[in-house]
Amino acid sequence: MISFHLARADNGVIGVDGQLPWHIPADLKRFKAQTLGRAMVMGRKTFESFPAPLPGRRHIVLTRDITWRADGAEVAHTVAEALALAGDDVAVIGGAEVFALFEPDRVELTEVHCSPEGDALVPPFDAWNEVFREEHPAEGDRPGYSFVTLVR
């Protein structure tokens, strides 16, 4: 099973300068719960945006750079290599270029109800079936958001 895990703003933005354009602790907690103990596939920039590898998860980094290596990362240069390393259960966590390479079975999406400036965008997930939605209102300077699960 291939699942996507991401937070996406109303305008499609998922990042700016290698970072999330918002801070939503509940989204980070949900991400941790959904990825703990799993193989995560990500691009090099996503991996390098972490202060350190995330505990309790495998980090499979998909990169075109054949010389790139990092502590805590398993390196793949093709989607097939990444999937072979990951096995039967893989969480694809970004960035935008990496999402475009995979066909997921499930999308665990946090819809962030704002439209920030950004340089990484993911198109909407049209023609998917929504099987779960949980709404959260804005609080202080944090935008409102929705936890959504989509399946084919």
Side-chain angles (χ1 to χ4, degrees), residues 5 11 14 30 37 47 56 90 93 98 131-132 136 144:
H5 300 265
N11 63 353
I14 65 166
R30 181 176 190 244
F47 179 82
V90 59
I93 66 166
V98 172
V131 296
F132 175 80
H136 298 269

Side-chain angles (χ1 to χ4, degrees), residues 8-81:
R8 180 184 177 278
D10 293 336
N11 63 353
V13 168
I14 65 166
V16 60
D17 297 327
Q19 301 296 317
L20 295 174
W22 48 75
H23 178 69
I24 301 173
D27 175 53
L28 300 175
K29 183 178 178 182
R30 181 176 190 244
F31 174 84
K32 180 179 180 179
Q34 292 175 341
T35 60
L36 205 56
R38 297 179 68 196
M40 299 185 307
V41 172
M42 68 204 76
R44 177 191 50 80
K45 292 178 192 174
T46 297
F47 179 82
E48 291 176 347
S49 73
F50 300 145
L54 303 176
R57 290 157 269 202
R58 290 177 55 209
H59 296 69
I60 299 169
V61 178
L62 189 56
T63 178
R64 291 181 288 265
D65 183 348
I66 60 170
T67 64
W68 187 86
R69 300 281 179 269
D71 289 340
E74 299 172 61
V75 179
H77 301 292
T78 66
V79 168
E81 285 179 22

